[in-house]
Amino acid sequence: MLPAMLSGEGLLWSPANTGPLKVRRQVVTMHDAATLDHPEWFERKFAAWYRFLLPRLANRVQRVITVSEYSRHRLVAQTGIPHSKVTVIPLAADARFRTYERPALEAALRIWGLSETPYLLAVGSLEPRKNLGTLFQAWEAWEGRPVGLQLAVVGAGNKVFSGAGFGQVPQGVNLLGRVSDEVLPLLYAGAEAFLYPSLYEGFGLPPLEAMASGTPVVTSNVTSLPEVVGDAALTVDPRDALALRDAMRRVVTDTALASELRVRGLHRAAHYSWEKTAAHTWEILQQEANK
Protein backbone atom coordinates (compact mmCIF):
# COMPACT_ATOMS: atom_id res chain seq x y z
CA MET A 1 0.00 0.00 0.00
CA LEU A 2 2.75 2.49 0.92
CA PRO A 3 4.64 2.21 -2.41
CA ALA A 4 1.37 2.73 -4.29
CA MET A 5 0.58 5.83 -2.25
CA LEU A 6 3.94 7.37 -3.15
CA SER A 7 3.31 6.99 -6.89
CA GLY A 8 7.03 7.41 -7.57
CA GLU A 9 7.06 10.99 -6.27
CA GLY A 10 8.75 12.44 -3.25
CA LEU A 11 11.18 10.85 -0.85
CA LEU A 12 10.23 8.27 1.77
CA TRP A 13 11.97 8.21 5.16
CA SER A 14 11.67 4.88 6.98
CA PRO A 15 12.93 5.52 10.54
CA ALA A 16 12.68 2.06 12.13
CA ASN A 17 15.14 -0.37 10.45
CA THR A 18 12.92 -1.57 7.60
CA GLY A 19 11.12 -0.14 4.60
CA PRO A 20 9.43 -1.22 1.37
CA LEU A 21 11.86 -2.84 -1.07
CA LYS A 22 9.97 -1.43 -4.07
CA VAL A 23 10.81 2.17 -3.17
CA ARG A 24 14.21 3.36 -4.37
CA ARG A 25 13.69 7.02 -3.44
CA GLN A 26 14.02 6.25 0.21
CA VAL A 27 16.20 6.94 3.24
CA VAL A 28 16.21 4.17 5.86
CA THR A 29 17.42 4.51 9.45
CA MET A 30 18.99 1.20 10.50
CA HIS A 31 19.87 1.34 14.17
CA ASP A 32 22.15 -1.68 14.27
CA ALA A 33 23.12 -4.92 12.55
CA ALA A 34 22.32 -7.16 15.51
CA THR A 35 20.04 -9.51 13.55
CA LEU A 36 22.83 -10.00 11.01
CA ASP A 37 25.70 -10.26 13.48
CA HIS A 38 23.90 -12.47 16.01
CA PRO A 39 20.84 -14.17 14.50
CA GLU A 40 21.00 -16.73 17.33
CA TRP A 41 19.69 -14.06 19.73
CA PHE A 42 16.39 -13.76 17.84
CA GLU A 43 13.43 -15.92 16.89
CA ARG A 44 14.44 -18.00 13.86
CA LYS A 45 11.88 -16.67 11.37
CA PHE A 46 12.44 -13.08 12.49
CA ALA A 47 16.20 -13.37 12.02
CA ALA A 48 15.79 -15.07 8.63
CA TRP A 49 13.51 -12.29 7.39
CA TYR A 50 16.01 -9.61 8.42
CA ARG A 51 18.89 -11.51 6.80
CA PHE A 52 16.89 -11.46 3.59
CA LEU A 53 15.60 -7.89 3.82
CA LEU A 54 18.33 -5.67 5.23
CA PRO A 55 21.12 -6.25 2.67
CA ARG A 56 18.71 -5.84 -0.24
CA LEU A 57 17.09 -2.76 1.24
CA ALA A 58 20.40 -1.11 2.12
CA ASN A 59 21.68 -1.56 -1.41
CA ARG A 60 18.46 -0.36 -3.04
CA VAL A 61 17.68 2.88 -1.19
CA GLN A 62 19.40 6.23 -1.72
CA ARG A 63 20.92 6.52 1.76
CA VAL A 64 21.13 4.74 5.09
CA ILE A 65 21.22 6.59 8.40
CA THR A 66 22.56 4.85 11.48
CA VAL A 67 23.28 5.89 15.06
CA SER A 68 26.98 5.16 15.66
CA GLU A 69 30.25 4.58 13.85
CA TYR A 70 30.18 1.02 15.15
CA SER A 71 26.79 0.40 13.51
CA ARG A 72 28.03 1.95 10.26
CA HIS A 73 31.02 -0.41 10.30
CA ARG A 74 28.84 -3.47 10.89
CA LEU A 75 26.20 -2.50 8.32
CA VAL A 76 28.88 -1.97 5.68
CA ALA A 77 30.44 -5.33 6.54
CA GLN A 78 27.14 -7.21 6.54
CA THR A 79 25.37 -5.63 3.55
CA GLY A 80 28.24 -4.68 1.26
CA ILE A 81 27.07 -1.09 0.81
CA PRO A 82 29.69 1.66 0.41
CA HIS A 83 30.86 3.37 3.59
CA SER A 84 29.97 6.73 2.01
CA LYS A 85 26.32 5.70 1.64
CA VAL A 86 25.84 5.51 5.41
CA THR A 87 25.48 8.65 7.55
CA VAL A 88 25.95 8.52 11.31
CA ILE A 89 23.50 10.61 13.36
CA PRO A 90 23.74 9.92 17.12
CA LEU A 91 20.75 9.75 19.43
CA ALA A 92 20.30 11.72 22.68
CA ALA A 93 18.80 11.46 26.15
CA ASP A 94 15.37 12.96 26.67
CA ALA A 95 15.23 16.14 28.75
CA ARG A 96 13.43 14.19 31.50
CA PHE A 97 16.76 12.61 32.35
CA ARG A 98 18.47 15.23 34.53
CA THR A 99 19.64 15.80 38.06
CA TYR A 100 17.00 16.11 40.80
CA GLU A 101 17.21 17.38 44.35
CA ARG A 102 16.76 14.61 46.91
CA PRO A 103 13.34 15.77 48.19
CA ALA A 104 11.97 15.43 44.66
CA LEU A 105 13.13 11.80 44.59
CA GLU A 106 11.88 10.64 47.96
CA ALA A 107 8.26 9.86 47.09
CA ALA A 108 9.12 7.73 44.07
CA LEU A 109 11.98 5.94 45.81
CA ARG A 110 9.82 5.18 48.84
CA ILE A 111 7.28 3.38 46.64
CA TRP A 112 10.01 1.03 45.40
CA GLY A 113 11.65 0.55 48.78
CA LEU A 114 14.75 2.50 47.80
CA SER A 115 14.54 5.62 49.94
CA GLU A 116 16.29 4.33 53.06
CA THR A 117 19.35 2.56 51.60
CA PRO A 118 21.73 3.20 48.68
CA TYR A 119 21.21 1.24 45.48
CA LEU A 120 22.81 0.50 42.16
CA LEU A 121 20.52 0.56 39.12
CA ALA A 122 20.43 -1.75 36.12
CA VAL A 123 18.01 -1.63 33.21
CA GLY A 124 17.67 -4.80 31.19
CA SER A 125 15.25 -7.23 29.60
CA LEU A 126 15.48 -10.99 29.07
CA GLU A 127 17.31 -10.50 25.77
CA PRO A 128 20.59 -12.46 25.81
CA ARG A 129 22.56 -9.41 24.75
CA LYS A 130 21.55 -7.47 27.88
CA ASN A 131 23.74 -9.91 29.81
CA LEU A 132 21.91 -9.85 33.12
CA GLY A 133 23.29 -13.27 34.02
CA THR A 134 26.84 -11.94 34.24
CA LEU A 135 25.64 -8.95 36.26
CA PHE A 136 24.03 -11.27 38.80
CA GLN A 137 27.20 -13.36 38.96
CA ALA A 138 29.23 -10.21 39.63
CA TRP A 139 26.82 -9.19 42.37
CA GLU A 140 27.03 -12.61 44.01
CA ALA A 141 30.84 -12.53 43.81
CA TRP A 142 31.05 -9.19 45.65
CA GLU A 143 31.85 -10.21 49.19
CA GLY A 144 31.67 -7.53 51.85
CA ARG A 145 29.20 -5.31 50.00
CA PRO A 146 28.23 -2.20 52.00
CA VAL A 147 25.47 -3.00 54.45
CA GLY A 148 22.05 -2.30 52.96
CA LEU A 149 23.28 -1.71 49.40
CA GLN A 150 20.72 -2.97 46.85
CA LEU A 151 20.85 -3.85 43.18
CA ALA A 152 17.62 -2.51 41.66
CA VAL A 153 16.76 -4.00 38.27
CA VAL A 154 14.22 -2.34 35.98
CA GLY A 155 12.64 -4.39 33.21
CA ALA A 156 13.32 -7.94 34.39
CA GLY A 157 10.87 -10.10 36.29
CA ASN A 158 11.49 -13.09 38.54
CA LYS A 159 11.70 -15.59 35.68
CA VAL A 160 15.04 -14.09 34.63
CA PHE A 161 16.76 -16.16 37.29
CA SER A 162 15.89 -19.54 35.85
CA GLY A 163 17.34 -18.40 32.53
CA ALA A 164 20.46 -17.05 34.20
CA GLY A 165 21.05 -20.18 36.24
CA PHE A 166 19.77 -18.82 39.55
CA GLY A 167 17.30 -20.84 41.58
CA GLN A 168 16.27 -17.81 43.59
CA VAL A 169 16.71 -14.07 43.68
CA PRO A 170 20.21 -13.26 45.02
CA GLN A 171 20.29 -11.44 48.32
CA GLY A 172 20.14 -7.68 47.91
CA VAL A 173 18.54 -7.73 44.45
CA ASN A 174 15.31 -5.77 44.08
CA LEU A 175 13.35 -6.61 40.92
CA LEU A 176 11.23 -3.63 39.94
CA GLY A 177 9.83 -4.98 36.68
CA ARG A 178 8.54 -2.35 34.29
CA VAL A 179 8.29 1.23 35.54
CA SER A 180 6.58 4.26 34.02
CA ASP A 181 8.33 6.87 31.90
CA GLU A 182 7.73 9.35 34.71
CA VAL A 183 9.42 7.21 37.37
CA LEU A 184 12.45 5.98 35.41
CA PRO A 185 14.33 9.34 35.42
CA LEU A 186 13.93 9.52 39.20
CA LEU A 187 15.35 6.02 39.62
CA TYR A 188 18.35 6.98 37.48
CA ALA A 189 18.96 10.16 39.46
CA GLY A 190 18.72 8.48 42.85
CA ALA A 191 21.17 5.65 42.13
CA GLU A 192 24.73 5.44 43.42
CA ALA A 193 25.75 4.10 40.01
CA PHE A 194 24.23 2.71 36.82
CA LEU A 195 25.25 -0.72 35.50
CA TYR A 196 24.91 -1.70 31.85
CA PRO A 197 27.03 -4.74 30.87
CA SER A 198 25.36 -5.22 27.48
CA LEU A 199 27.03 -7.48 24.92
CA TYR A 200 25.82 -5.54 21.88
CA GLU A 201 24.37 -2.09 21.27
CA GLY A 202 23.87 -0.05 18.13
CA PHE A 203 24.01 3.06 20.31
CA GLY A 204 23.11 2.42 23.94
CA LEU A 205 20.72 5.06 25.27
CA PRO A 206 20.52 3.91 28.92
CA PRO A 207 24.14 4.85 29.81
CA LEU A 208 23.62 8.25 28.22
CA GLU A 209 20.38 8.71 30.16
CA ALA A 210 22.22 7.82 33.36
CA MET A 211 25.01 10.30 32.65
CA ALA A 212 22.47 13.03 31.94
CA SER A 213 20.98 12.20 35.36
CA GLY A 214 24.30 12.81 37.09
CA THR A 215 24.80 9.12 37.88
CA PRO A 216 28.19 7.35 37.53
CA VAL A 217 28.13 4.64 34.85
CA VAL A 218 29.73 1.21 34.58
CA THR A 219 29.24 -0.28 31.13
CA SER A 220 30.76 -2.57 28.50
CA ASN A 221 33.93 -1.96 26.52
CA VAL A 222 32.46 -3.48 23.34
CA THR A 223 30.41 -2.46 20.29
CA SER A 224 29.13 1.16 20.33
CA LEU A 225 29.22 1.73 24.09
CA PRO A 226 32.79 3.11 24.42
CA GLU A 227 31.99 5.44 21.52
CA VAL A 228 28.94 6.81 23.35
CA VAL A 229 30.36 7.19 26.86
CA GLY A 230 33.93 8.23 25.97
CA ASP A 231 36.01 8.76 29.11
CA ALA A 232 32.93 9.53 31.22
CA ALA A 233 32.31 5.95 32.43
CA LEU A 234 34.10 2.85 33.67
CA THR A 235 34.15 0.27 30.88
CA VAL A 236 34.81 -3.44 31.37
CA ASP A 237 34.71 -6.73 29.49
CA PRO A 238 31.01 -7.64 29.79
CA ARG A 239 31.78 -11.37 29.91
CA ASP A 240 34.14 -10.99 32.87
CA ALA A 241 32.03 -11.11 36.05
CA LEU A 242 34.99 -10.37 38.31
CA ALA A 243 35.98 -7.30 36.30
CA LEU A 244 32.39 -6.09 36.54
CA ARG A 245 32.38 -6.78 40.28
CA ASP A 246 35.60 -4.77 40.72
CA ALA A 247 34.20 -1.83 38.74
CA MET A 248 31.02 -1.80 40.85
CA ARG A 249 33.11 -1.88 44.01
CA ARG A 250 35.34 0.96 42.82
CA VAL A 251 32.50 3.31 41.95
CA VAL A 252 30.77 2.65 45.28
CA THR A 253 33.80 2.89 47.58
CA ASP A 254 35.87 5.57 45.82
CA THR A 255 33.92 8.78 46.37
CA ALA A 256 36.44 10.88 44.42
CA LEU A 257 36.05 8.60 41.39
CA ALA A 258 32.26 8.67 41.64
CA SER A 259 32.27 12.47 41.81
CA GLU A 260 34.56 12.71 38.79
CA LEU A 261 32.38 10.34 36.78
CA ARG A 262 29.29 12.41 37.63
CA VAL A 263 30.92 15.58 36.30
CA ARG A 264 32.31 13.88 33.21
CA GLY A 265 28.99 12.18 32.53
CA LEU A 266 27.00 15.39 32.65
CA HIS A 267 29.49 17.05 30.32
CA ARG A 268 29.44 14.11 27.92
CA ALA A 269 25.65 13.88 27.83
CA ALA A 270 25.41 17.60 27.04
CA HIS A 271 27.17 16.96 23.71
CA TYR A 272 24.12 15.04 22.50
CA SER A 273 20.72 16.58 21.85
CA TRP A 274 17.58 15.65 19.96
CA GLU A 275 17.69 19.08 18.33
CA LYS A 276 21.03 18.18 16.74
CA THR A 277 19.71 14.77 15.76
CA ALA A 278 16.60 16.25 14.14
CA ALA A 279 18.54 19.01 12.34
CA HIS A 280 21.06 16.58 10.87
CA THR A 281 18.33 14.15 9.84
CA TRP A 282 16.41 16.93 8.11
CA GLU A 283 19.59 18.02 6.31
CA ILE A 284 20.14 14.50 4.95
CA LEU A 285 16.50 14.17 3.87
CA GLN A 286 16.66 17.48 2.01
CA GLN A 287 19.85 16.44 0.25
CA GLU A 288 18.35 13.15 -0.87
CA ALA A 289 15.05 14.73 -1.89
CA ASN A 290 16.90 17.09 -4.25
CA LYS A 291 18.67 14.30 -6.12
Side-chain angles (χ1 to χ4, degrees), residues 94 96-98 100 105 108-109 112 114 119 121-124 152-155 176-191 194 196 205-207 209-210 213 215:
D94 189 88
R96 293 178 294 113
F97 297 97
R98 58 178 179 82
Y100 291 84
L105 302 174
L109 298 185
W112 299 102
L114 299 171
Y119 66 95
L121 181 68
V123 174
V153 183
V154 169
L176 307 184
R178 295 183 179 275
V179 303
S180 69
D181 290 342
E182 293 73 29
V183 169
L184 185 58
L186 303 176
L187 295 178
Y188 273 117
F194 178 72
Y196 199 71
L205 267 177
E209 292 168 345
S213 303
T215 301

Side-chain angles (χ1 to χ4, degrees), residues 121-285:
L121 181 68
V123 174
S125 65
L126 297 180
E127 285 185 81
R129 62 172 163 170
K130 299 307 180 183
N131 199 29
L132 289 179
T134 301
L135 175 59
F136 300 142
Q137 292 168 18
W139 179 259
E140 290 262 276
W142 185 359
E143 297 179 359
R145 291 191 302 267
V147 175
L149 182 67
Q150 297 186 57
L151 171 59
V153 183
V154 169
N158 280 303
K159 65 180 180 179
V160 70
F161 292 98
S162 61
F166 287 84
Q168 59 184 4
V169 178
Q171 185 178 4
V173 172
N174 187 346
L175 299 181
L176 307 184
R178 295 183 179 275
V179 303
S180 69
D181 290 342
E182 293 73 29
V183 169
L184 185 58
L186 303 176
L187 295 178
Y188 273 117
E192 298 294 305
F194 178 72
L195 312 174
Y196 199 71
S198 178
L199 298 173
Y200 190 108
E201 295 293 329
F203 184 79
L205 267 177
L208 189 61
E209 292 168 345
M211 291 192 296
S213 303
T215 301
V217 170
V218 176
T219 190
S220 304
N221 63 1
V222 298
T223 67
S224 66
L225 290 162
E227 178 184 339
V228 172
V229 301
D231 66 352
L234 295 184
T235 58
V236 300
D237 180 349
R239 297 188 183 276
D240 188 338
L242 295 184
L244 180 55
R245 175 203 64 186
D246 292 344
M248 289 192 293
R249 182 161 51 198
R250 282 185 65 198
V251 80
V252 168
T253 60
D254 188 337
T255 55
L257 172 63
S259 179
E260 181 179 356
L261 290 176
R262 288 188 182 94
V263 172
R264 288 186 181 183
L266 287 167
H267 186 262
R268 182 74 177 179
H271 283 288
Y272 299 87
S273 77
W274 284 115
E275 288 76 12
K276 291 180 182 178
T277 300
H280 195 180
T281 302
W282 181 243
E283 178 185 356
I284 294 301
L285 295 178

